[in-house]
Amino acid sequence: MSAFRSHGRGHLNGPVVVIGTGLLGTSIGLGLRGRGVPVFLSDPSPTNQAVAVDIGAGQPLEHLGNEVPELVVVAAPPDVTAAVVARALADYPDSVVVDIASVKAAILAELQGAGADIARYVGTHPMAGREKSGPVAARGELFTSMPWVVCPGPESSAAAVQTARSLAADLGAVVSQFTADEHDAAVALVSHLPQIMSSLLASRLQGTPLHALSLAGNGLRDVTRIAASDPTLWVQILGGNAGKVVEILYGVREDLNRLIGTLEDPLASGARLDLAQLISEGNAGQARIPGKHGGPPQAYAWLTVLVDDRPGQIAKLLTEIGEIGVNVEDLRLDHSSGQNVGMVELSVLPNKHDHLIEALNDRGWRVLQ
Amino acid sequence: MSAFRSHGRGHLNGPVVVIGTGLLGTSIGLGLRGRGVPVFLSDPSPTNQAVAVDIGAGQPLEHLGNEVPELVVVAAPPDVTAAVVARALADYPDSVVVDIASVKAAILAELQGAGADIARYVGTHPMAGREKSGPVAARGELFTSMPWVVCPGPESSAAAVQTARSLAADLGAVVSQFTADEHDAAVALVSHLPQIMSSLLASRLQGTPLHALSLAGNGLRDVTRIAASDPTLWVQILGGNAGKVVEILYGVREDLNRLIGTLEDPLASGARLDLAQLISEGNAGQARIPGKHGGPPQAYAWLTVLVDDRPGQIAKLLTEIGEIGVNVEDLRLDHSSGQNVGMVELSVLPNKHDHLIEALNDRGWRVLQ
């Protein structure tokens, strides 16, 4: 491993080179520029690069001159990431190189196979995104409070890992460290499987009569929200993590086949128990999802307040809840068809629940508990 | 068909008998009592009945005396509904009888087979519920703005249908009319399938290491929210609509098998196209779900505002948006792990989007667009 610049403790000094000025690369540039770190940008599309420069994400790479980058961030599409990382390791022999692709093991394996100097390479995955893409949609605060997984390979040097962690921390993300395999298994389950289940469900709606869809409630809306995701990106993500995803899908298929068998003969002995087990196992899995701010799963107490659907009503409600002195942990608007009454579902700490209901009733709000 | 009382146009006069004082039956009693309609309650559990009477949902059935009910509402569990309806049709030969079970065709078929006087029977399904059950959780406003499907059988008289519609309308629900078959096909798709997909996904989380779950984002939370539903109720619902549900699951299984085949050989020719097609078909289905208030699907414009996670911040934001004069169409709190910064995602009409961002920026809010 060659010597390379390190940054002491905690913060990047730069210069940082960002290769790929799409949504994420440009957002990284903007965030680092906001901290005063010198950033140099490069993109195969001259237009994308010019836009990223124009909105202040950094200078064109030509301006780097003979300076040695502290860090090179490869923000290329997943399917070319390994090649671009290998090239960057060769082009910048004294710099740390990280990538930000959402699947990690395949890239590491490809670099190991290519004999690259991977002591200076660390794979990372910032779990942030938007519906929009491209540099115009970039925001320096995109990573604030979002998870950013750092996945050192067995060859990564401690200093390179520290530099990668500093990038994430400087941009306000919550840093965690996984092996590439652990990461890919985790996202297969918490990110890729939800996308697949949502898409499989939503695709069933294609031929439905519209009067049936008029009965859609929050359940359907929730489960299908991420079905609106970008096909191009997801082809690369699912293709890049195919092995881990398919392992999980075998289990889903087994459960689905059992359910189909049960529903084909719903009066058979044991059928009811089978159905109860499916729902109960879902209860048990759902209860394990961590609570807000990464805390343990917490049973918040929910209440529902009816409001007129016009400007200012929800603000008025929340202002009064603030006056009552209760913190709202979560909030949902409940949509209903055909009438202009809205329901606001609020979750609060259980010990505030009864007090809040009483206080809201006193103030004339219609509370469903 | 025997003569029976009808109520002129639009409103029930009562008396109304409610058989079954769980969450829904008691809520119906409370709602009708709130409109001044005389209600008489009966439940096989003396405790449940007493609670429902105590909270003001009606009087004990014994007090009905010789009066002829205008309407008998059967609010029994789905698996005994048909038997209770048949009994009510016999016990009250001059009254309309409705039920409120969430699956309709099997009940109608059972009554037709039993030779009941089903000119006076109308199946209905109020699409409202809560996580809690029992009379204590009942609320007279439970049905406000929620869909209530009225499903006349071929034998139902026009007057009986009108009485059933009046019940729903009096309780503030949005009334629609389907055949029992249309209803069961529609709820299989918009209600039962989402429950199954959510439960199948959530059950995969049972054995996951907690560090993997720490990467859970809003996608996973959304798709699994309804996986927390009550197993006992869902056994009856899925069992009662098994034929319609299993038809849809055959299609899901076909798509799942194709996906598994693709992911088993992700480098095969055509694999990428297959993956793109899955996500695209999900896009297309998701886009068909109607918008708020039953309107056509509408592409609202979203923006994200960063707020400190302390009481009053969201209220302050919404108050200022009200001052700016923009109506918030939908709102979500975006949870992140480990830091006390929250993101409020707001949707507004597209033509208000840029103005709102500018005005919020002027007022010092951190807007991600």
Side-chain angles (χ1 to χ4, degrees), chain A residues 19-277:
Chain A
I19 302 176
T21 57
L23 171 69
L24 295 176
T26 306
S27 294
I28 289 170
L30 285 171
L32 292 176
R33 289 299 305 127
R35 297 184 58 87
V37 178
V39 176
F40 297 86
L41 305 169
S42 150
D43 195 281
S45 152
T47 306
N48 269 2
Q49 181 178 320
V51 170
V53 170
D54 284 350
I55 65 178
Q59 304 173 60
L61 181 58
E62 306 85 88
H63 296 198
L64 178 64
N66 289 326
E67 277 203 87
V68 174
E70 176 184 15
L71 171 65
V72 178
V73 179
V74 173
D79 54 355
V80 298
T81 291
V84 179
V85 168
R87 179 66 191 262
L89 287 167
D91 287 351
Y92 302 96
D94 297 315
S95 305
V96 174
V97 177
V98 305
D99 77 299
I100 59 162
S102 42
V103 175
K104 302 269 57 106
I107 292 168
L108 180 61
E110 198 172 328
L111 290 168
Q112 287 169 329
D117 177 15
I118 53 179
R120 293 182 288 115
Y121 165 71
V122 181
T124 82
H125 178 203
M127 299 186 73
R130 308 187 61 197
E131 300 76 29
K132 301 182 177 184
S133 59
V136 178
R139 295 290 175 273
E141 277 165 321
L142 189 66
F143 309 101
T144 306
S145 289
M146 304 305 280
W148 193 318
V149 189
V150 172
C151 305
E155 303 87 353
S156 303
S157 74
V161 174
Q162 184 54 44
T163 302
R165 294 183 65 105
S166 297
L167 171 69
D170 282 359
L171 293 171
V174 181
V175 188
S176 59
Q177 199 162 319
F178 287 57
T179 68
D181 249 15
E182 286 170 348
H183 167 275
D184 288 359
V187 294
L189 195 72
V190 305
S191 168
H192 307 170
L193 183 63
Q195 180 63 50
I196 288 168
M197 299 303 272
S198 182
S199 293
L200 285 173
L201 166 56
S203 75
R204 291 288 116 203
L205 305 178
Q206 289 179 101
T208 323
L210 280 173
H211 73 267
L213 289 175
S214 74
L215 301 181
N218 270 343
L220 181 67
R221 277 180 238 274
D222 282 348
V223 183
T224 57
R225 192 179 63 91
I226 57 175
S229 299
D230 175 29
T232 310
L233 179 65
W234 276 96
V235 167
Q236 299 189 28
I237 293 176
L238 296 177
N241 202 20
K244 294 279 196 293
V245 172
V246 84
E247 279 304 318
I248 300 173
L249 291 182
Y250 291 145
V252 173
R253 177 163 66 183
E254 208 171 287
D255 288 352
L256 178 62
N257 278 330
R258 196 176 101 190
L259 174 63
I260 286 175
T262 303
L263 291 176
E264 283 173 339
D265 190 6
L267 301 177
S269 117
R272 275 155 190 271
L273 184 60
D274 273 356
L275 294 177
Q277 211 156 350

Side-chain angles (χ1 to χ4, degrees), chain A residues 79 127 130 132 139 141 144-145 149 172 174 178 186 189-190 193-194 196-197 199-208 210-213 215 218-229 231 234-235 238-239 242 245-246 248-253 255-257 259-260 263-264 266 272 275-276 278-286 288-290 292-294 306 309-311 314-315 318-319 327 329-333 335-341 343 366 368-369, chain B residues 127 130 132 139 141 144-145 149 172 174 178 186 189-190 193-194 196-197 199-208 210-213 215 218-229 231 234-235 238-239 242 245-246 248-253 255-257 259-260 263-264 266 272 275-276 278-286 288-290 292-294 306 309-311 314-315 318-319 327 329-333 335-341 343 366 368-369:
Chain A
D79 54 355
M127 299 186 73
R130 308 187 61 197
K132 301 182 177 184
R139 295 290 175 273
E141 277 165 321
T144 306
S145 289
V149 189
V174 181
F178 287 57
L189 195 72
V190 305
L193 183 63
I196 288 168
M197 299 303 272
S199 293
L200 285 173
L201 166 56
S203 75
R204 291 288 116 203
L205 305 178
Q206 289 179 101
T208 323
L210 280 173
H211 73 267
L213 289 175
L215 301 181
N218 270 343
L220 181 67
R221 277 180 238 274
D222 282 348
V223 183
T224 57
R225 192 179 63 91
I226 57 175
S229 299
W234 276 96
V235 167
L238 296 177
V245 172
V246 84
I248 300 173
L249 291 182
Y250 291 145
V252 173
R253 177 163 66 183
D255 288 352
L256 178 62
N257 278 330
L259 174 63
I260 286 175
L263 291 176
E264 283 173 339
R272 275 155 190 271
L275 294 177
L278 165 71
I279 307 291
S280 298
E281 290 180 1
N283 291 172
Q286 199 268 353
R288 299 188 71 228
I289 300 172
K292 194 177 176 183
H293 302 314
L306 293 177
D309 185 29
R310 52 193 167 83
I314 301 167
L318 291 172
T319 301
N327 199 9
E329 299 295 333
D330 203 354
L331 183 154
R332 297 178 46 84
L333 298 193
H335 291 178
S336 45
S337 285
Q339 287 204 8
N340 288 329
V341 176
M343 311 224 183
R366 290 182 291 165
L368 300 188
Q369 179 154 334
Chain B
M127 299 186 72
R130 307 187 61 198
K132 303 182 175 182
R139 295 292 176 271
E141 276 166 322
T144 305
S145 290
V149 189
V174 180
F178 287 58
L189 194 72
V190 304
L193 182 63
I196 287 168
M197 299 302 274
S199 294
L200 285 172
L201 166 57
S203 75
R204 292 286 116 202
L205 304 178
Q206 288 178 102
T208 321
L210 280 176
H211 73 267
L213 289 175
L215 301 182
N218 268 346
L220 181 68
R221 278 180 237 274
D222 282 348
V223 184
T224 57
R225 192 178 64 91
I226 57 174
S229 300
W234 276 96
V235 167
L238 295 177
V245 172
V246 86
I248 300 174
L249 291 181
Y250 291 145
V252 174
R253 176 162 67 183
D255 288 351
L256 179 62
N257 278 329
L259 175 62
I260 286 175
L263 291 175
E264 283 173 338
R272 277 159 187 267
L275 294 176
L278 166 72
I279 307 291
S280 298
E281 289 180 1
N283 291 171
Q286 199 267 353
R288 299 189 73 228
I289 301 173
K292 194 176 177 186
H293 303 316
L306 293 177
D309 188 29
R310 52 193 168 80
I314 301 167
L318 292 173
T319 302
N327 199 7
E329 299 296 333
D330 203 353
L331 183 155
R332 297 176 48 84
L333 297 192
H335 291 179
S336 44
S337 284
Q339 288 204 7
N340 286 329
V341 176
M343 310 223 185
R366 290 183 291 164
L368 300 187
Q369 178 152 338

Side-chain angles (χ1 to χ4, degrees), chain B residues 63-74:
Chain B
H63 296 198
L64 178 64
N66 289 326
E67 274 201 273
V68 175
E70 177 185 14
L71 171 66
V72 178
V73 179
V74 173

